[in-house]
């Protein structure tokens, strides 16, 4: 009997979780927020932040010329005009902390012109500038961290013209993430300069339960790697926290690997589609100075980006899974249409269908289907849409019910 009621309790919990995920996906539930620790909405990150970050491709070797060239390429490649805004220098820009001023001095070899001039350059290209630090004693690459100096570092960043701060969580033993990130946000706020605050504790302390109102995005996962399995694992992990995402604060399954060479073009399309349907930040991590058109076309696909950036700001969910490797993801959009990603995680081509019942559309409703990767209309359908999806591939569509005549 005990086992049976335990089982029933589990079933009940599963149903409750599914319902709350569904409410969140419909935009009818309030996101998780702790009123006691939340800062007032500052209007930043009303849609998931978009930009570029040095780490995935350049690891611990960013330098000033690279950043300038990347900013130029963001413009010439059309990425800026497609919505990518922030150029973020990740770990390894730091030299040391100056004893007299307590300020971090940028590595003079790699950043001889200093950060203010570099930020000015990035701004002159119509872009915004971001920097990385760590809430603990050292960064993950062992350079100087911000612990004990949040105020001075926040003021320094503001003086340099920083618009986006990513704060990591290495060398933070004994510290409490919620407290430290709250203090860092207080320090940023005190500068008076609006700065997007990216919390990077890898999901280790369940930030989906406390980070809204402190940061504008929070990592939900370990570091992504440029491999199919890693990318999917991060998508699956972030999918658990649907209720936390809403305008002003986003689950972050980590930066994009699109174009770094470890996945096929189809796999990168799955990566980009999943990030868009989950309303994840779109932070490119490839060498955009030299990317081929095949990669550029993924990163600047405006119809897919529009799904990510939709103003309703809900994180899409899996609504059906015809077999373990075949999934139907759906994201409700502000105009009432729905973005649908038919994802084939298996190694063989497969037909995947989405029925109108999964979309809340009555059977018989006529709906138009637009293919976002093929950039073509797939006609009117009245109870379901099905497509042959390549192995490790995706068909992504936007489905709009037509008003009855
Ligand atoms: C951690 C973060 C990464 C990156 C590196 C830099 O691993 O999760 O995103 O910032 O540190 O060292």
């Amino acid at each position: 009997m005990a086992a049976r009621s335990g089982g029933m309790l589990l079933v009940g919990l599963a149903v409750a979780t599914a319902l709350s995920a569904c409410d969140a996906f419909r935009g009818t539930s309030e996101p998780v927020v702790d009123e006691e620790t939340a800062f007032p909405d500052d209007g930043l990150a009303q849609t998931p932040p978009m930009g570029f970050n040095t780490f995935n491709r350049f690891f611990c070797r960013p330098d000033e010329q690279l950043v300038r060239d990347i900013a130029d390429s963001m413009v010439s490649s059309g990425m800026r005009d497609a919505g990518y805004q922030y150029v973020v220098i990740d770990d390894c820009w730091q030299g040391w902390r100056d004893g007299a001023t307590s300020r971090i001095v940028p590595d003079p070899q790699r950043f001889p012109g200093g950060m203010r001039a570099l930020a000015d350059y990035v701004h002159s290209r119509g872009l915004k500038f971001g920097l990385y630090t760590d809430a603990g004693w050292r960064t993950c690459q062992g350079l100087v961290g911000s612990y004990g100096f949040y105020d001075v570092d926040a003021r320094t960043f503001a003086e340099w013209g920083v618009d986006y701060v990513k704060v990591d969580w290495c060398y933070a033993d004994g510290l409490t993430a919620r407290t430290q990130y709250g203090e860092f946000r207080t320090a940023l706020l005190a500068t008076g300069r609006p700065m997007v605050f990216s919390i990077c504790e890898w999901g280790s302390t369940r930030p989906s339960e406390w980070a809204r109102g402190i940061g504008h995005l929070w990592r939900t996962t370990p570091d992504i790697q440029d491999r199919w399995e890693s990318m999917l694992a991060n998508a699956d992990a972030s999918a658990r926290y649907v209720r936390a995402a809403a305008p002003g604060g986003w689950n972050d399954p980590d930066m994009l690997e699109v174009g770094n060479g470890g996945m096929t073009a189809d796999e990168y399309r799955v990566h980009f589609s999943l990030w868009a349907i989950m309303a994840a930040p779109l932070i490119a991590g490839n060498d955009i100075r030299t990317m081929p058109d095949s990669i550029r076309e993924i990163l600047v696909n405006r119809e897919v980006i529009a799904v990510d950036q939709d103003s309703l700001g809900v994180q899409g969910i899996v609504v059906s899974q015809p077999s373990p490797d075949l999934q139907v993801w759906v994201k409700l959009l502000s105009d009432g249409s729905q973005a649908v990603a038919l994802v084939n995680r298996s190694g063989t081509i497969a037909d995947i269908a989405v029925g109108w019942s999964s979309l809340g559309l009555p059977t018989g409703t006529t709906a138009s289907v637009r293919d976002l990767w093929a950039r073509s209309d797939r006609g009117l359908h009245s109870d379901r849409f099905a497509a042959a999806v390549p192995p490790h591939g995706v068909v992504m569509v936007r489905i709009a019910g037509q008003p009855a005549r």
Side-chain angles (χ1 to χ4, degrees):
M1 190 61 197
R4 185 185 150 92
S5 58
M8 286 177 67
L9 181 67
L10 275 183
V11 172
L13 277 177
V15 170
T17 312
L19 282 179
S20 71
C22 203
D23 292 344
F25 145 75
R26 295 267 155 215
T28 53
S29 74
E30 288 297 314
V32 188
V33 62
D34 183 335
E35 300 295 347
E36 275 184 25
T37 54
F39 291 80
D41 184 3
D42 58 9
L44 292 176
Q46 292 303 297
T47 61
M50 293 175 66
F52 165 88
N53 174 297
T54 51
F55 188 72
N56 280 358
R57 176 68 178 75
F58 301 100
F59 192 53
C60 195
R61 295 180 305 278
D63 65 47
E64 144 184 321
Q65 193 56 47
L66 171 74
V67 175
R68 285 170 183 254
D69 292 346
I70 291 282
D72 292 347
S73 304
M74 302 263 293
V75 179
S76 59
S77 65
M79 284 182 68
R80 180 192 65 186
D81 293 345
Y84 293 85
Q85 246 191 327
Y86 298 97
V87 178
V88 183
I89 307 177
D90 207 279
D91 208 345
C92 303
W93 62 268
Q94 309 87 340
W96 59 88
R97 189 175 292 283
D98 180 73
T101 63
S102 295
R103 288 158 71 115
I104 303 179
V105 178
D107 180 328
Q109 306 287 314
R110 284 184 288 110
F111 294 91
M115 288 300 172
R116 177 76 234 188
L118 194 49
D120 287 348
Y121 185 80
V122 170
H123 291 148
S124 76
R125 305 314 317 258
L127 294 160
K128 295 190 165 176
F129 184 63
L131 272 187
Y132 161 104
T133 189
D134 191 289
W137 287 269
R138 289 180 179 280
T139 73
C140 293
Q141 302 303 317
L143 291 142
V144 57
S146 286
Y147 185 73
F149 297 94
Y150 296 171
D151 290 328
V152 66
D153 288 353
R155 276 201 307 278
T156 307
F157 294 166
E159 282 171 28
W160 285 344
V162 168
D163 309 293
Y164 181 114
V165 182
K166 170 177 171 181
V167 178
D168 217 336
W169 192 234
C170 282
Y171 296 94
D173 287 353
L175 302 179
T176 305
R178 183 178 184 149
T179 308
Q180 301 310 129
Y181 284 103
E183 286 179 10
F184 212 110
R185 176 66 190 272
T186 304
L188 291 173
L189 210 60
T191 69
R193 183 176 175 86
M195 289 185 255
V196 169
F197 185 31
S198 163
I199 293 177
C200 179
E201 52 68 273
W202 326 299
S204 59
T205 65
R206 291 196 158 267
S208 57
E209 291 170 8
W210 56 261
R212 163 166 291 282
I214 296 178
H216 301 98
L217 60 161
W218 46 87
R219 282 275 295 279
T220 48
T221 67
D223 286 8
I224 193 169
Q225 286 152 30
D226 187 17
R227 289 186 297 112
W228 169 249
E229 295 76 14
S230 163
M231 181 276 289
L232 289 180
N234 277 19
D236 291 344
S238 216
R240 295 192 200 112
Y241 310 117
V242 172
R243 288 190 60 225
W250 309 97
N251 291 315
D252 176 10
D254 206 357
M255 304 171 293
L256 298 168
E257 292 283 10
V258 175
N260 279 334
M263 292 184 240
T264 66
D266 273 337
E267 291 173 341
Y268 283 139
R269 268 188 286 277
V270 173
H271 181 9
F272 202 74
S273 303
L274 288 176
W275 265 234
I277 215 144
M278 292 197 301
L282 298 178
I283 309 291
N286 60 313
D287 189 348
I288 62 177
R289 300 169 306 176
T290 56
M291 66 183 161
D293 278 350
S294 55
I295 294 299
R296 196 190 78 86
E297 279 159 16
I298 296 174
L299 290 172
V300 302
N301 182 314
R302 286 174 188 251
E303 296 187 45
V304 177
I305 291 173
V307 171
D308 181 77
Q309 295 290 300
D310 183 79
S311 61
L312 190 61
V314 293
Q315 177 170 330
I317 60 172
V318 176
V319 294
S320 76
Q321 191 147 337
S323 75
D325 278 343
L326 306 179
Q327 295 180 318
V328 179
W329 292 72
V330 176
K331 180 182 197 284
L332 182 64
L333 303 172
S334 52
D335 66 357
S337 69
Q338 316 203 39
V340 176
L342 307 174
V343 177
N344 181 359
R345 301 164 67 136
S346 82
T348 48
I349 189 166
D351 284 325
I352 308 181
V354 54
W356 281 191
S357 58
S358 306
L359 302 178
L361 294 174
T363 309
T365 306
T366 307
S368 62
V369 178
R370 167 85 180 165
D371 188 323
L372 306 186
W373 285 114
R375 291 172 166 246
S376 63
D377 293 330
R378 293 273 198 122
L380 295 172
H381 298 255
S382 56
D383 61 349
R384 71 202 274 275
F385 171 73
V389 186
H392 289 195
V394 63
V395 169
M396 188 166 177
V397 294
R398 189 163 178 152
I399 298 181
Q402 302 291 298
R405 296 198 172 196

